[in-house]
């Protein structure tokens, strides 16, 4: 369960079940068992209501690469059934929020990966969803692009539920106020990033690398004097 204003990091090794879980929560694929709700609606019985309230950015931002960015967003707004009077306003808003105004008339396939991720995020936000689900949103981006996308996610997080699938611990540190770790489809831990860090036996540990055994002996003697 995730509350409004939370940015949840969803972590786990490859094949842990992260992407599958996200696909179920966004009604992209059905589950074989269990229950799940998005924005209070059951993903099995009320999938249309869930889709109205959930924004989804899959891994690698699958976009129509032969379309220009702004017409693509207008197309998505029509798919989301936004009223005509709101459509242009929402397209302009997400272009501004995602800082893609300078590339809005360019062909998506000719954009850098960072800009394509932003266009993908813009399509996920076009209908102002209550829940935003992002699968590896900074994967493959350079450090500057990662920083820009993280800043963007932080800006829009105030009134939304955001779930981010990632295998990067630095991402959780930079973005999330809560983290869940799964493996083989089961939850292993659910805590704040700080709480998870404190569980490690290496928390607050100091590592020393010595060139020879003589140095090691000196260090051991020094530590004994400290204790």
């Amino acid at each position: 369960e995730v509350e409004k204003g939370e940015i949840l990091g969803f972590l786990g090794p490859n094949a842990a079940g992260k992407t599958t879980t996200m696909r179920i929560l966004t009604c992209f694929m059905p589950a074989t068992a269990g229950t799940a709700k998005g924005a209070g609606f059951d993903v099995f019985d009320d999938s249309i209501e869930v889709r109205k309230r959930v924004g989804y950015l899959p891994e690698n931002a699958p976009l129509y690469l032969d379309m220009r960015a702004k017409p693509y967003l207008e197309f998505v707004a029509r798919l989301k059934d936004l009223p005509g009077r709101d459509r242009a306003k929402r397209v302009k808003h997400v272009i501004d929020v995602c800082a893609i105004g300078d590339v809005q008339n360019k062909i998506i396939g000719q954009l850098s990966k960072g800009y394509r991720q932003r266009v993908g995020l813009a399509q996920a936000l076009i209908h102002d969803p209550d829940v935003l689900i992002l699968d590896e949103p900074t994967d493959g981006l350079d450090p500057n692009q990662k920083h820009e996308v993280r800043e963007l996610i932080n800006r829009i997080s105030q009134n939304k539920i955001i779930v981010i699938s990632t295998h990067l611990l630095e991402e959780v540190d930079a973005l999330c106020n809560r983290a869940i770790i799964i493996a083989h489809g089961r939850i292993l831990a659910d805590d704040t990033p700080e709480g998870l860090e404190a569980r490690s036996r290496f928390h607050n540990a100091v590592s020393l690398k010595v060139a020879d055994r003589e140095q090691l002996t000196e260090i051991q003697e020094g530590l004994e004097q400290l204790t």
Side-chain angles (χ1 to χ4, degrees):
E1 192 166 319
V2 191
E3 300 294 334
K4 187 172 285 190
E6 279 189 319
I7 302 180
L8 174 70
F10 198 42
L11 299 124
N14 289 338
K18 301 188 299 295
T19 296
T20 299
T21 302
M22 291 183 146
R23 287 175 176 173
I24 292 167
L25 290 174
T26 55
C27 307
F28 183 77
M29 66 180 287
T32 52
T35 59
K37 288 186 177 181
F41 293 90
D42 190 283
V43 299
F44 305 106
D45 299 331
D46 296 302
S47 68
I48 298 300
E49 295 302 320
V50 174
R51 293 170 205 230
K52 287 178 181 177
R53 293 164 176 81
V54 173
Y56 181 35
L57 176 61
E59 191 176 3
N60 298 322
L63 306 166
Y64 290 112
L65 300 181
D66 56 341
M67 292 185 73
R68 298 181 188 275
K70 185 178 179 181
Y72 166 73
L73 293 172
E74 291 168 342
F75 168 67
V76 173
R78 289 197 300 273
L79 287 181
K80 295 288 185 181
D81 204 24
L82 292 183
R85 62 182 180 279
D86 295 333
R87 203 176 296 155
K89 190 186 300 183
R90 284 301 304 170
V91 169
K92 182 181 184 309
H93 176 73
V94 296
I95 285 173
D96 291 342
V97 167
C98 296
I100 54 175
D102 52 342
V103 299
Q104 62 182 307
N105 295 314
K106 293 188 176 180
I107 295 171
I108 295 171
Q110 296 175 354
L111 300 179
S112 68
K113 184 160 185 179
Y115 270 118
R116 288 203 299 271
Q117 284 292 90
R118 290 196 215 177
V119 173
L121 194 52
Q123 67 79 27
L125 289 167
I126 195 81
H127 57 305
D128 194 20
D130 299 321
V131 181
L132 192 59
I133 295 182
L134 311 173
D135 196 354
E136 304 280 1
T138 63
D139 186 45
L141 302 185
D142 66 36
N144 285 336
Q145 292 169 336
K146 284 183 180 181
H147 176 74
E148 290 166 0
V149 171
R150 287 169 185 167
E151 286 285 305
L152 173 55
I153 292 169
N154 271 321
R155 283 203 304 274
I156 62 178
S157 67
Q158 306 304 317
N159 300 308
K160 297 189 184 301
I161 294 166
I162 300 182
V163 180
I164 298 174
S165 166
T166 182
H167 60 273
L168 300 173
L169 295 178
E170 64 178 82
E171 192 116 287
V172 177
D173 237 9
L175 279 173
C176 304
N177 44 35
R178 183 176 158 209
I180 286 178
I181 299 175
I182 69 166
H184 306 296
R186 296 185 178 278
I187 294 176
L188 301 182
D190 182 352
D191 206 339
T192 63
E194 295 80 13
L196 290 174
E197 188 179 6
R199 295 187 192 191
S200 170
R201 64 190 179 92
F202 298 110
H203 182 58
N204 287 335
V206 176
S207 298
L208 296 173
K209 189 172 183 180
V210 296
D212 56 53
R213 186 172 292 278
E214 187 176 316
Q215 280 186 317
L216 181 60
T217 305
E218 291 176 8
I219 290 168
Q220 285 175 329
E221 289 172 356
L223 289 173
E224 287 169 5
Q225 290 174 12
L226 286 174
T227 56

